[in-house]
């Protein structure tokens, strides 16, 4: 019942606080002041063999300035007028590099540089000095602008559900700090998301920065790691308000017009608890921005498509009235937050529609590259400036004005609508600086507290056959946008291609293959990445149709092409349940594409975007599949092991997969059986499993080991989940002497789970892109599939030895420390830049 925010007090003072400020009168409290320095500090942490370090920048026409060396650090203070500048560091007079301590970027004359924003130094600044989320407890300090003006007013208010409440504070004249304490208790505050906003005014009316401090008050602490995401294409979801439906557009091809789904429909499904019953913790909704009117030619130069999908924006900050009103969107978010559900918007950063206000007013912000996939316009060579179609101009992220504008818009949507992160469309088609700048902005503007905003990217990649080495380029391409200063996670395209057709659809590969590639996702993405695995998306043909296309090509997409039909047998629904048994029990943040939970059928885009059907519109096979997915979703939601545990292979063969998900003090064993016979596996305590008592989660039956072994069973075409039963073990403590898990877990406490992730897509925006991927992939895939592969050989038990507790306490502590270090560095960086 109590708030479970974990208490972390961060004291940043010595690192940062005074590094760029002049503090006067410290021994006379009545005259204390902290005034901004009028210089900006550049710092370079030197490797041992560096002799000279210089900084050069746009502010003074690239004059060279030598940094001074002291105690392993090169530094210099420069007086720079407010502005946004390119700069570089020069090592040993010849080596021009980007500033390693600053992830912000700016292009000058087409050349990538570090970017620094010097703000107006006469404005005051407020900063967090100490924080604790046990209760909301912050200490901030006030730094006067260069003229030294004292503080005259502080605006402190709390935003919750878009309503504002003033909050009291106490000002400490003796050290120019102020304290904010809010007693968050269930009797005074309801659960949900809150944002504290603080801004100071000096005696001459100059405003400080506005500090935004979002946090959640909720029963148990949320973690993106292990969350379950549900992806909604709003127009194709539920139509909750007929009055906002657009008129039909006569020339649009079948399946490509607006259908009428809207925010009101999402609200009604939130009210019915549909998402909670699926164990869903976050919704990813297609773009909210106003989309183009009318219809446009599809990539085949034949069919016509409307902007129902959201990926053809024509304005930057307006909500499309066909989806609903601003207040309906806020109502949707308020309702979601009250249920603990996070909301991710879909942010299109690569292109706009030609009717977009920015393209109309600032055509120089865009590039009219060649149309990708046409003759002489290679998808890879022209990845950055190529366009998806002639009416979708490409955002030129090398133009600083455009870049800053799009970044501002990204943050604006988060703040204005109290969002919890973004899915970034078409990542591989924008300059990498767009991504690193976006991450810096999120850090600075939104992640001042311990509340993490999730940034998930779409770097659509293909499949190069069954060999790991051949797929390393795919992993690397996805990895290049993650890691420090990068996105939190990305769609796990490699895993999608590795398993959906090979294992679940054709069965060319067995469950050894499934285990092998699941493990590769843990090992080949950058440490700490929160990947999203998935089985289908708005850019792939429907899972159920890949499993049973009724004899038609599941990739057909237009009415005259013989589209996949609704399956009539139960077989594909059972196969789909097996596939979801895997998806919802593996690491990462799985994504369910709306409708896949009951087996909506359809070919490629747009046939994969049929209107969502609610329960009463489903047939028996579909209802049964939905029940199974709900059960799996809840099993995941109620299991810390299944959300955060490391993946450890235990056993696999043609149609049986057994794996463990391990945390420092527990493990859960999952069995998935796609065969026609019930199965049993006997596992040895100390070798395959590490506890002697387990709870059969689905049947609520406990059983304990006999002679150091335990037999686990699973029915045909079904799954079983067994979790370490701590109560039983405590009761039988005397039997525990041969447990080997203790040392095992301990030495692995620190490992970070790697994981996989998600989504796909390419979109409407990227119609062609998906074609590319398919050709890279699916074709190769099929051919190579039959030729067998070396990659699938597994290293079974040895591979299993790599797990251990992922979210152990020491791991949490380590992560906390790393976070603090990171925060310190970040703040150092902010201060360095800001003053
Ligand atoms: Ca509607
Ligand atoms: Ca581009
Ligand atoms: Ca984040």
């Amino acid at each position: 019942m109590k708030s479970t925010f974990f208490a972390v007090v961060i004291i940043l003072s010595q690192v940062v606080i005074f590094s760029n400020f002049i503090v006067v009168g410290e021994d006379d409290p009545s005259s204390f002041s902290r005034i901004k320095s009028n210089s900006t500090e550049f710092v370079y942490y030197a490797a041992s063999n560096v002799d000279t370090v210089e900084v050069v920048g746009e502010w003074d026409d690239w004059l060279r300035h030598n940094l001074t060396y002291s105690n392993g650090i090169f530094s210099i203070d420069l007086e720079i007028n407010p502005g946004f500048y390119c700069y570089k560091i020069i090592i040993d007079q010849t080596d021009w590099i980007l500033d390693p301590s600053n992830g912000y970027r700016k292009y000058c004359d087409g050349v990538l540089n570090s970017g620094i924003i010097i703000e107006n130094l006469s404005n005051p600044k407020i900063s967090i000095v100490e924080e604790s989320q046990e209760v909301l407890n912050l200490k901030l300090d006030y730094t006067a602008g260069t003229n030294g003006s004292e503080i005259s007013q502080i605006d402190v208010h709390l935003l919750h559900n878009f309503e504002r409440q003033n909050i009291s504070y106490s000002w400490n004249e003796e050290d120019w700090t102020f304290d904010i304490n809010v007693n968050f208790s269930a009797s005074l505050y309801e659960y949900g998301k809150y944002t504290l906003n603080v801004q100071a005014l000096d005696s001459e009316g100059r405003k400080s920065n506005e500090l935004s401090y979002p946090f959640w008050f909720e029963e148990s602490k949320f973690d993106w790691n292990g969350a379950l995401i549900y992806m909604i294409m709003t127009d194709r979801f539920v139509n909750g308000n007929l009055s906002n439906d657009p008129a039909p557009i006569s020339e649009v091809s079948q399946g490509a017009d607006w259908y009428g789904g809207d925010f009101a429909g999402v609200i009604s499904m939130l009210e019915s608890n549909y998402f909670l019953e699926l164990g869903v913790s976050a919704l990813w909704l297609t773009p909210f921005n106003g989309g183009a009117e009318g219809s446009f030619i599809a990539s085949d130069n034949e069919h016509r498509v409307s902007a129902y999908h959201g990926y053809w924006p024509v304005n930057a900050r307006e909500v499309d009235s066909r989806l609903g009103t601003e207040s309906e969107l806020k109502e949707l978010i308020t309702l979601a937050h009250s249920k603990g559900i996070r909301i991710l918007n879909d942010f299109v950063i690569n292109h706009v529609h030609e009717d977009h206000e920015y393209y109309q007013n600032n055509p120089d912000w865009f590039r009219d590259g060649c149309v990708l996939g046409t003759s002489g316009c290679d998808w890879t060579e022209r990845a950055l400036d190529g366009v998806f179609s002639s009416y979708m101009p490409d955002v030129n992220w090398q133009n600083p004005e455009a870049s800053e504008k799009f970044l501002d818009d990204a943050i604006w949507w988060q703040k204005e609508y109290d969002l919890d992160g973004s899915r970034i469309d078409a990542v591989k088609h924008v300059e990498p600086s767009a991504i690193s700048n976006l991450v810096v902005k999120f850090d600075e503007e939104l992640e001042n507290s311990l509340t993490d905003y999730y940034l998930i990217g779409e770097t659509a990649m293909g499949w190069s056959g069954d060999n790991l080495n051949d797929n390393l380029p795919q992993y690397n391409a996805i990895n290049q946008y993650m890691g420090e200063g990068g996105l939190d996670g990305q769609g796990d395209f490699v895993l999608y291609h590795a398993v959906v057709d090979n294992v679940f659809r054709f069965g060319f590969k067995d469950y050894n293959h499934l285990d092998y590639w699941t493990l590769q996702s843990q090992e080949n993405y950058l440490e700490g990445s929160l990947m999203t695995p998935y089985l289908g998306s708005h850019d792939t043909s429907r899972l159920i149709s890949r499993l049973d296309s009724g004899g038609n090509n599941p990739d057909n997409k237009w009415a005259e092409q013989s589209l996949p039909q609704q399956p009539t047998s139960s077989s594909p629904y059972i196969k789909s349940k097996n596939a979801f048994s895997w998806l919802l029990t593996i690491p990462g943040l799985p994504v369910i594409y709306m409708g896949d939970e009951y087996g909506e059928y359809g070919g490629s885009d747009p046939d994969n975007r049929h209107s969502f059907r609610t329960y009463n519109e489903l047939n028996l096979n579909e209802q049964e599949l939905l029940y199974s997915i709900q059960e799996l979703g809840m099993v995941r939601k109620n299991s810390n092991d299944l959300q955060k545990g490391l993946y450890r292979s235990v056993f696999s063969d043609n149609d049986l997969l057994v794996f463990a998900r391990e945390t420092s003090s527990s493990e859960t064993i999952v069995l998935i059986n796609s065969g026609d016979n019930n199965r049993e596996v006997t596992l040895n305590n100390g070798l395959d499993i590490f506890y002697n008592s387990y709870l059969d989660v689905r049947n609520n039956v406990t059983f304990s080991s006999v002679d150091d072994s335990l037999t686990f069973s699973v029915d045909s075409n079904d799954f079983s989940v067994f979790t370490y039963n701590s109560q039983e073990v405590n009761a039988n403590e005397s039997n525990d002497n041969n447990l080997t898990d203790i040392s095992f877990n301990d030495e692995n406490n620190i490992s970070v789970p790697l994981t996989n992730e998600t989504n796909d897509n390419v979109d409407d925006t990227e119609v062609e892109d998906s074609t590319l991927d398919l050709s890279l992939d699916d074709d190769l895939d099929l051919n190579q599939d039959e030729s067998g592969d070396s990659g699938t050989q597994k290293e079974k038990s040895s591979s299993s030895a790599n797990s251990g507790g992922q979210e152990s306490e020491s791991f949490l502590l380590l992560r906390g420390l790393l976070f603090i270090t990171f925060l310190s560095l970040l703040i150092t960086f902010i201060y360095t830049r800001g003053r």
Side-chain angles (χ1 to χ4, degrees):
M1 284 301 132
K2 298 279 156 289
S3 145
T4 52
F5 296 117
F6 57 101
V8 176
V9 175
I10 300 180
I11 299 179
L12 299 163
S13 52
Q14 75 285 14
V15 188
V16 200
I17 301 304
F18 299 111
S19 64
N20 278 347
F21 303 113
I22 299 163
V23 177
V24 293
E26 271 182 274
D27 37 0
D28 177 5
S30 62
S31 66
F32 182 92
S33 66
R34 186 184 293 110
I35 303 173
K36 275 185 182 174
S37 158
N38 48 18
S39 63
T40 300
E41 186 181 34
F42 294 86
V43 174
Y44 181 78
Y45 298 91
S48 55
N49 53 353
V50 169
D51 293 324
T52 67
V53 178
E54 295 159 279
V55 61
V56 290
E58 233 186 329
W59 52 80
D60 59 3
D61 237 0
W62 303 90
L63 282 180
R64 291 181 172 222
H65 301 275
N66 259 304
L67 277 66
T68 309
Y69 180 81
S70 171
N71 293 327
I73 301 172
F74 287 89
S75 66
I76 190 171
D77 289 319
L78 294 176
E79 287 188 21
I80 302 175
N81 291 328
F84 178 30
Y85 302 105
C86 280
Y87 75 97
K88 274 197 174 156
I89 303 281
I90 306 173
I91 306 297
D92 290 342
Q93 301 182 14
T94 53
D95 190 10
W96 293 52
I97 63 167
L98 296 169
D99 184 347
S101 61
N102 173 9
Y104 214 64
R105 302 284 180 255
K106 182 186 176 190
Y107 276 87
C108 277
D109 299 326
V111 176
L112 181 65
N113 283 273
S114 289
I116 186 167
I117 296 171
I118 309 289
E119 266 142 27
N120 188 340
L121 296 172
S122 60
N123 291 338
K125 166 90 181 170
I126 53 173
S127 327
I128 298 171
V129 195
E130 287 179 29
E131 63 183 328
S132 162
Q133 289 193 22
E134 181 75 359
V135 287
L136 181 65
N137 192 332
L138 287 181
K139 178 183 279 294
L140 298 96
D141 68 21
Y142 171 84
T143 302
T146 42
N147 51 34
S149 298
E150 292 183 20
I151 197 165
S152 73
Q153 191 183 324
I154 310 171
D155 170 28
V156 183
H157 65 269
L158 203 54
L159 271 178
H160 174 58
N161 296 344
F162 307 99
E163 284 170 11
R164 145 193 191 128
Q165 176 193 347
N166 288 329
I167 295 292
S168 61
Y169 60 89
S170 57
W171 170 251
N172 310 303
E173 182 66 40
E174 66 278 8
D175 63 355
W176 280 27
T177 62
F178 51 105
D179 296 301
I180 298 165
N181 294 298
V182 185
N183 181 16
F184 269 87
S185 64
S187 59
L188 295 173
Y189 289 91
E190 59 188 13
Y191 289 130
K193 188 180 180 188
Y194 292 80
T195 303
L196 185 80
N197 286 299
V198 187
Q199 188 170 42
L201 238 64
D202 73 13
S203 54
E204 292 170 52
R206 296 190 193 88
K207 287 179 177 172
S208 76
N209 54 310
E210 185 174 357
L211 199 137
S212 169
Y213 192 88
F215 62 97
W216 284 75
F217 176 55
E218 57 190 337
E219 200 164 338
S220 56
K221 180 159 172 54
F222 172 84
D223 190 338
W224 282 104
N225 186 19
L228 179 57
I229 299 176
Y230 189 89
M231 193 250 168
I232 291 175
M233 177 164 275
T234 308
D235 174 66
R236 302 304 173 89
F237 198 54
V238 174
N239 190 350
N241 177 5
L242 302 181
S243 73
N244 60 17
D245 292 1
I249 307 172
S250 59
E251 74 276 12
V252 166
S253 302
Q254 181 177 326
D257 201 353
W258 294 80
Y259 280 14
D262 47 31
F263 300 140
V266 180
I267 289 169
S268 71
M269 295 300 275
L270 278 163
E271 283 169 343
S272 76
N273 281 335
Y274 184 77
F275 306 112
L276 287 184
E277 286 169 2
L278 278 169
V280 163
S281 43
L283 303 181
W284 149 26
L285 298 151
T286 44
F288 305 136
N289 313 55
E293 297 292 333
S295 72
F296 294 83
I297 196 84
S299 55
D300 60 6
N301 271 325
E302 187 183 335
H303 294 87
R304 296 195 70 86
V305 179
S306 75
Y308 71 92
H309 42 69
Y311 295 97
W312 295 348
V314 297
N315 54 47
R317 299 187 179 190
E318 283 164 45
V319 165
D320 195 304
S321 62
R322 292 163 287 197
L323 302 178
T325 62
E326 292 173 11
S327 66
E328 281 174 308
L329 179 55
K330 289 180 176 175
E331 183 186 342
L332 183 164
I333 291 160
T334 295
L335 188 57
H337 283 174
S338 74
K339 295 171 185 291
I341 294 175
R342 273 62 179 168
I343 302 289
L344 304 175
N345 69 340
D346 198 325
F347 195 60
V348 181
I349 60 174
N350 174 64
H351 61 270
V352 296
H353 188 273
E354 64 185 1
D355 295 336
H356 197 283
E357 52 185 327
Y358 291 169
Y359 185 65
Q360 296 298 315
N361 300 328
N362 305 87
D364 56 314
W365 291 1
F366 299 87
R367 294 180 286 218
D368 295 317
C370 54
V371 177
L372 290 163
T374 57
S375 150
C377 193
D378 182 76
W379 276 94
T380 302
E381 281 170 24
R382 305 298 296 273
L384 293 185
D385 75 325
V387 297
F388 296 125
S389 76
S390 57
Y391 49 87
M392 279 194 268
D394 184 65
V395 179
N396 182 3
W397 280 89
Q398 298 188 20
N399 178 315
E401 231 183 314
S403 170
E404 291 298 293
K405 192 66 190 162
F406 275 84
L407 293 170
D408 280 353
D409 291 340
I411 300 300
W412 181 87
W413 279 98
Q414 296 295 315
K415 288 188 172 175
E416 179 70 15
Y417 288 98
D418 202 12
L419 300 169
D420 305 297
S422 282
R423 178 266 188 179
I424 310 298
D425 188 55
V427 162
K428 70 181 179 189
H429 294 290
V430 296
E431 275 75 3
S433 63
I435 302 302
S436 55
N437 283 3
L438 188 68
V439 171
V440 169
K441 285 285 187 194
F442 266 70
D443 282 344
E444 286 182 0
E445 305 259 355
L446 301 163
E447 294 181 329
N448 290 309
S449 66
L450 299 181
T451 302
D452 184 26
Y453 282 64
Y454 186 60
L455 279 175
I456 172 183
E458 176 210 19
T459 303
M461 298 306 298
W463 174 247
S464 305
D466 293 333
N467 186 288
L468 174 61
N469 279 336
D470 293 343
N471 283 292
L472 289 179
Q474 327 282 10
Y475 287 114
N476 293 340
I478 294 172
N479 275 333
Q480 69 175 308
Y481 303 99
M482 299 188 298
E484 195 183 337
L487 300 169
D488 295 296
Q490 297 230 57
D492 195 342
F493 287 83
V494 182
L495 193 56
Y496 174 83
H497 293 301
V499 306
V500 170
D501 280 351
N502 293 331
V503 177
F504 298 123
R505 178 183 178 190
F506 295 119
F508 289 153
K509 299 295 174 188
D510 60 18
Y511 273 17
N512 289 311
H513 185 87
L514 180 61
D515 180 56
Y516 177 82
W517 287 100
T518 306
L519 195 59
Q520 294 316 313
S521 276
Q522 316 313 309
E523 296 181 345
N524 289 289
Y525 291 114
L526 291 179
E527 197 162 300
S529 301
L530 298 175
M531 304 296 283
T532 54
Y534 65 98
L535 290 164
S537 77
H538 59 318
D539 294 321
T540 64
S541 54
R542 285 285 188 174
L543 175 66
I544 211 78
S545 296
R546 295 194 88 73
L547 299 175
D548 177 357
S549 58
N552 295 328
N553 183 340
D555 291 321
N556 285 350
K557 49 166 86 172
W558 303 109
E560 66 275 18
Q561 288 178 326
S562 304
L563 295 170
Q565 299 299 303
Q566 185 171 30
T568 51
S569 79
S570 60
S571 164
Y573 297 93
I574 292 168
K575 286 185 186 176
S576 179
K577 174 184 140 185
N578 290 337
F580 271 101
S581 304
W582 166 81
L583 181 75
L584 298 183
T585 53
I586 63 171
L589 297 74
V591 173
I592 299 176
Y593 172 45
M594 65 172 201
D596 275 353
E597 69 274 24
Y598 64 77
E600 183 59 53
Y601 62 98
S604 289
D605 165 13
D607 194 44
N608 55 358
R609 298 157 181 194
H610 296 169
S611 267
F612 177 88
R613 285 177 287 138
T614 51
Y615 187 80
N616 293 334
E617 301 167 285
L618 305 181
N619 66 31
L620 219 54
N621 285 327
E622 291 168 335
Q623 289 178 350
E624 277 185 24
L625 177 58
L626 177 60
Y627 283 137
S628 296
I629 307 305
Q630 286 173 331
E631 184 187 2
L632 280 159
M634 292 312 291
V635 166
R636 181 182 184 88
K637 184 177 190 172
N638 293 325
S639 167
N640 185 58
D641 291 350
L642 290 183
Q643 291 172 44
K644 302 191 172 62
L646 289 184
Y647 181 91
R648 177 171 62 85
S649 304
V650 175
F651 175 85
S652 60
D653 62 16
N654 285 354
D655 44 26
L656 177 65
L657 173 62
V658 183
F659 59 88
R661 297 291 311 283
E662 300 187 338
T663 52
S664 61
S665 55
S666 178
E667 73 178 356
T668 292
I669 309 293
V670 178
L671 287 78
I672 302 170
N673 177 14
S674 67
D676 294 331
N677 300 311
N678 297 347
R679 295 286 298 271
E680 285 188 343
V681 282
T682 298
L683 301 176
N684 290 312
N685 192 349
L687 186 62
D688 306 311
I689 54 173
F690 298 100
Y691 298 93
N692 69 352
S693 179
Y694 289 82
L695 172 70
D696 176 342
V697 170
R698 297 184 72 192
N699 299 305
N700 200 26
V701 176
T702 300
F703 59 107
S704 298
S705 61
V706 178
D707 295 337
D708 272 349
S709 69
L710 263 169
T711 299
F712 297 85
S713 62
V714 57
D715 290 347
S716 98
N717 283 305
D718 206 357
F719 64 93
S720 295
V721 177
F722 303 92
T723 193
Y724 161 53
N725 180 34
S726 57
Q727 287 176 339
E728 185 71 15
V729 167
N730 292 338
N732 298 323
E733 199 122 31
S734 56
N735 292 341
D736 285 3
N737 39 8
N738 35 18
L739 284 183
T740 56
D741 56 305
I742 314 257
S743 58
F744 175 81
N745 285 326
D746 282 356
E747 71 190 7
N748 289 289
N749 275 345
I750 307 238
S751 50
V752 177
L754 300 190
T755 315
N756 354 322
E757 61 266 48
T758 297
N759 303 322
D760 46 306
N761 355 333
V762 172
D763 276 339
D764 311 82
T765 70
E766 289 163 69
V767 177
E768 285 317 316
D769 211 354
S770 57
T771 314
L772 162 80
D773 290 325
L774 288 176
S775 55
L776 271 180
D777 291 0
D778 281 23
D779 296 349
L780 278 175
D781 192 10
L782 293 185
N783 301 335
Q784 301 195 353
D785 255 340
E786 320 233 37
S787 61
D789 63 85
S790 51
T792 312
Q793 310 310 328
K794 50 187 352 185
E795 320 136 32
K796 238 154 223 187
S797 342
S798 59
S799 67
S800 59
N802 70 353
S803 18
Q806 155 167 353
E807 271 300 341
S808 67
E809 282 161 37
S810 57
F811 171 68
L812 274 180
L813 183 64
L814 176 73
R815 207 165 60 164
L817 288 170
L818 285 173
F819 180 77
I820 290 168
T821 308
F822 166 73
L823 206 61
S824 308
L825 290 172
L826 177 69
I827 302 232
T828 307
F829 152 56
I830 291 169
Y831 275 67
T832 308
R833 289 182 47 214
R835 282 4 33 190

